[in-house]
Amino acid sequence: NTAEFAMREELALKAAILAEKFAPNLSWYVDVILQLIDKAGDFVSDDIWYRVVQFVTNNEDLQAYAAAKAREYLDKPALHETMVKVSAYLLGEYGHLLAQRPSCSPKELFTIINDRLPTVSSSTVAIIISAYAKILMHTQPPDAGLQQQILAIFKKHESYIDVEIQQRAVEYFELSRKGPALADVLAEMPKFPERE
């Protein structure tokens, strides 16, 4: 029933708050929140995954660790859409930090994210499209095959029913053809202001 649903969402939020407040270290916090998202996906509000993204963005030494954890979760056959969102975001922003690790080349990161694309809602498609643009930008030296795959996805989404996705696809496609402009526009996210 609806009361039970609300209680579960509130319980997930309280667990996230307690994890943040009493975390012995930041990697433990990332582990716990990603487990919470994985196990209680339907009951995890967007605020929870936004907060883990803020933590990772504001702590440079945590970025490669969080991206590696996100990569691990994408190996699971069944995954809640919230986990796809956070994983795609983290791999788009910080996947390049994993380039030397096995199964973490830009092409492999693209493939594992792209496997989820047909199964997600428009809000997640928008995050995935941005992740593709970031992967494209960070791939050095450029991989022509990967670039063609990503550009084909941008082209396909130029006529998508959701206007925001259309706009992203058109802009990323045009920016990717301009070379250095893509890096300027898609620079790493700045640190978030600290919450009190």
Side-chain angles (χ1 to χ4, degrees), residues 92-110:
E93 285 292 324
Y94 310 113
H96 64 282
L97 301 174
L98 308 177
Q100 304 306 316
R101 297 182 188 191
S103 301
C104 291
S105 71
K107 176 86 168 166
E108 290 165 312
L109 295 180
F110 164 77

Side-chain angles (χ1 to χ4, degrees), residues 53-156:
V53 163
Q54 287 178 350
F55 256 87
V56 173
T57 300
N58 288 355
N59 294 283
E60 198 172 314
D61 55 332
L62 193 59
Q63 294 168 354
Y65 179 81
K69 290 308 241 180
R71 170 66 182 87
E72 287 175 24
Y73 276 100
L74 285 176
D75 278 333
K76 289 183 158 198
L79 204 57
H80 192 276
E81 187 165 340
T82 303
M83 183 59 79
V84 175
K85 283 180 187 178
V86 73
S87 295
Y89 181 89
L90 290 172
L91 290 174
E93 285 292 324
Y94 310 113
H96 64 282
L97 301 174
L98 308 177
Q100 304 306 316
R101 297 182 188 191
S103 301
C104 291
S105 71
K107 176 86 168 166
E108 290 165 312
L109 295 180
F110 164 77
T111 300
I112 199 162
I113 295 169
N114 198 49
D115 288 345
R116 306 294 177 158
L117 185 62
T119 65
V120 296
S121 68
S122 293
S123 64
T124 305
V125 170
I127 293 167
I128 289 174
I129 294 243
S130 293
Y132 293 162
K134 296 267 185 165
I135 289 170
L136 188 61
M137 177 193 69
H138 286 298
T139 304
Q140 297 303 325
D143 177 333
L146 176 61
Q147 183 177 20
Q148 288 308 312
Q149 283 183 288
I150 292 174
L151 292 178
I153 290 170
F154 291 162
K155 263 317 223 187
K156 177 183 171 189

Side-chain angles (χ1 to χ4, degrees), residues 11-48:
L11 184 60
L13 181 59
K14 288 184 186 228
I17 291 168
L18 289 171
E20 183 176 335
K21 186 172 184 175
F22 297 107
N25 59 57
L26 295 177
S27 58
W28 181 89
Y29 170 76
V30 168
D31 288 340
V32 168
I33 297 301
L34 291 180
Q35 286 174 29
L36 177 67
I37 292 169
D38 184 46
K39 304 262 188 271
D42 286 336
F43 309 105
V44 173
S45 68
D46 284 344
D47 291 337
I48 293 173

